[in-house]
């Protein structure tokens, strides 16, 4: 599982609400041989999620990382900020099926997780589901093509 991602680099960012899950996810992904670049805070001191979301978004847009994962309390602050960037499709996922669909239908290049509303186990399952799912293209690509302003 996740073997096909061994040459991939994933950027991850978080605010104070996502520190614990971020650290565990980094360990999980590195354990699978995936390179992870940390754009998040590493302490529980209160911070502003846009500072971290913008840093991750810029790295994804520049191709410095292949995909991104973002965590905050609800996921909404990260998603709202990330989606200001033209090159970002950030999708919020709170269950395994939504994690699959956000790749299959939306081709999300950043997965956003609501750290205060899911367990770590759920977060880990969602990340793996999102990574392992393939974008379906076709009518979904046509819809994605209509997103940019
Ligand atoms: C931080 O308390 C919280 O507002 C933040 O993590 C996030 O949920 C914002 O959308």
């Amino acid at each position: 599982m996740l073997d096909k991602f061994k040459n991939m680099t994933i950027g991850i960012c978080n605010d104070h609400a996502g520190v614990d899950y971020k650290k565990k996810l980094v360990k999980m992904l590195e354990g699978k041989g995936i390179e992870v670049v940390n754009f998040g805070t590493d302490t529980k001191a209160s911070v502003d999620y846009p500072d971290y979301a913008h840093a991750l978004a810029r790295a994804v847009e520049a191709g410095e990382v292949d995909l991104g994962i973002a965590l905050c309390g609800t996921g909404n602050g990260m998603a709202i900020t990330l989606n200001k960037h033209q090159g970002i499709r950030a999708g919020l996922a709170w269950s395994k099926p939504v994690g699959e669909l956000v790749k299959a239908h939306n081709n999300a290049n950043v997965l956003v997780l609501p750290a205060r509303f899911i367990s770590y186990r759920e977060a880990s399952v969602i990340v793996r589901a999102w990574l392992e799912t393939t974008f379906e293209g076709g009518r979904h690509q046509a819809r994605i093509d209509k997103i940019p302003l």
Side-chain angles (χ1 to χ4, degrees), residues 15-18 46-47 49 71-80 116-117:
D15 70 359
H16 48 284
S46 184
V47 294
Y49 55 79
L71 305 103
C72 68
T74 64
N76 278 314
M78 286 293 182
I80 290 167
R116 286 184 174 149
F117 295 88

Side-chain angles (χ1 to χ4, degrees), residues 19-20 89 131:
V19 176
D20 292 341
R89 284 179 308 281
L131 283 174

